Amino acid sequence: MTNFKRGGRFLRWLWVFSLISTSGCAWLDAHQRQIIYRPTTGAPTEVVGRHPGDQRFFLTVPSTTPTRDTTAAPPETQRIELWWLHHADPQAPTLLYLHGTFRTVFENLHKIEALRSAGFNVLAVDYRGWGLSTPLIPSEQTILQDADLAWAELQRREPRAAQRVIYGHSMGSGVAVDLASRLRSPTDYGALILESAFTSFSDVAREAGYLTRFLDLFNNERFASIDKIARVNAPLLMLHGALDSTIPIRLGQQLFVAANPPKHWLTIEGGAHSDLNQVDQAQYQATLQRFMHDYVARQQAP
């Protein structure tokens, strides 16, 4: 628990330094984004434990997609990497996995495998700036664009709209809420799952104290899920660790209160920010399976 508390304090200090872009200077803007998102490049060429049908592949980012990063490769050469983890059940629903800051898809494989074990096909995306995707300093804009591209691929792989599930962890919860808020359920997708979610980047920053409340006025990266969650009309499952010192549980609870029903909340006692599937594997799996049975499987077309 001590390590998680230290990690939470460290991240909050990162917020302090990331919010100092008080001018229009492009360098300061890029520096701010680098500190907020902490993108991690690189990934192993081979992954132990892959199942038959698992794939790693790339999609080209359309050349018309703009980016604020002037140091990145030309748009026509930019790409994102996706991981496809196939479930043995041909009737399994398909989940889009949207990760948070810092860790790549590879570093989230323990969470992704937990979701596959619960009964999902999983399509996971490394946004530009992470893994083997095009290296750049990401922004809210580029991350949302990459999520849209991954969503189009999921639609191609999963023709049953009601069997499509959007999942986001940490920062990825903000990506997931944004995507879901622009879609309709069940005509576009069936359900939304948020883990270690927050109301907005601003609220996370303000948790650090009075100084960051002031510095937040100059932060350009928002991910304001609290302003979008009312537009989500799909069944919602939210999970949060009681000991999360990175995103306090009360921020997740505030987002949950603002959400439309049907919705279900699970607190993992002893859970921190990224270990919920490990701290109480049985409860984690059972909750996902029950949610899938109640709100996804029953929508399956005959």
Side-chain angles (χ1 to χ4, degrees), residues 80 96 98 141-155 175 178-179 182-183:
I80 57 172
L96 177 63
L98 300 165
Q141 177 192 38
T142 63
I143 292 169
L144 295 179
Q145 289 164 349
D146 295 346
D148 284 350
L149 187 57
W151 177 249
E153 175 65 15
L154 184 137
Q155 289 177 297
V175 185
D178 180 87
L179 177 60
R182 295 183 279 115
L183 302 171

Side-chain angles (χ1 to χ4, degrees), residues 14-15 18 30-40 68 99-103 127-130 137-143 171 175 201 219-223:
L14 286 179
W15 280 103
S18 72
H31 186 64
Q32 173 197 52
R33 290 184 281 116
Q34 178 69 40
I35 294 174
I36 290 175
Y37 295 114
R38 298 176 298 148
T40 303
R68 285 158 57 189
H99 67 68
T101 62
F102 186 56
R103 293 183 177 90
Y127 324 108
R128 282 170 288 171
W130 280 265
I137 300 174
S139 67
E140 183 172 0
Q141 177 192 38
T142 63
I143 292 169
M171 178 203 72
V175 185
F201 268 6
N219 179 27
N220 297 318
E221 306 297 304
R222 313 309 292 178
F223 276 113

Side-chain angles (χ1 to χ4, degrees), residues 1 5 9 59-60 65 87 89 94 109-111 127 139 142 160 168 177 184-185 187 198 200 286-287:
M1 183 175 71
K5 286 183 177 179
R9 286 196 294 267
L59 293 177
T60 300
T65 301
H87 194 278
D89 182 358
T94 302
L109 277 179
H110 71 95
K111 300 184 70 61
Y127 324 108
S139 67
T142 63
R160 305 166 300 170
V177 170
R184 298 293 297 175
S185 176
T187 55
F198 54 87
S200 69
T287 299

Side-chain angles (χ1 to χ4, degrees), residues 245-258:
S245 59
T246 301
I247 297 176
I249 191 171
R250 59 181 168 274
L251 295 185
Q253 291 169 333
Q254 289 170 16
L255 186 66
F256 181 77
V257 169

Side-chain angles (χ1 to χ4, degrees), residues 44-57 81-86 106 109 113 116:
T45 56
E46 293 295 331
V47 178
V48 176
R50 292 177 66 180
H51 295 192
D54 289 358
Q55 302 173 16
R56 293 173 63 184
F57 61 98
E81 185 180 20
L82 296 101
W83 297 51
W84 171 252
L85 283 75
H86 181 68
F106 172 73
L109 277 179
E113 286 291 359
R116 172 156 60 178

Side-chain angles (χ1 to χ4, degrees), residues 267-278:
T267 298
I268 298 290
E269 298 298 333
H273 187 63
S274 300
D275 63 355
L276 305 190
N277 59 296
Q278 298 168 317

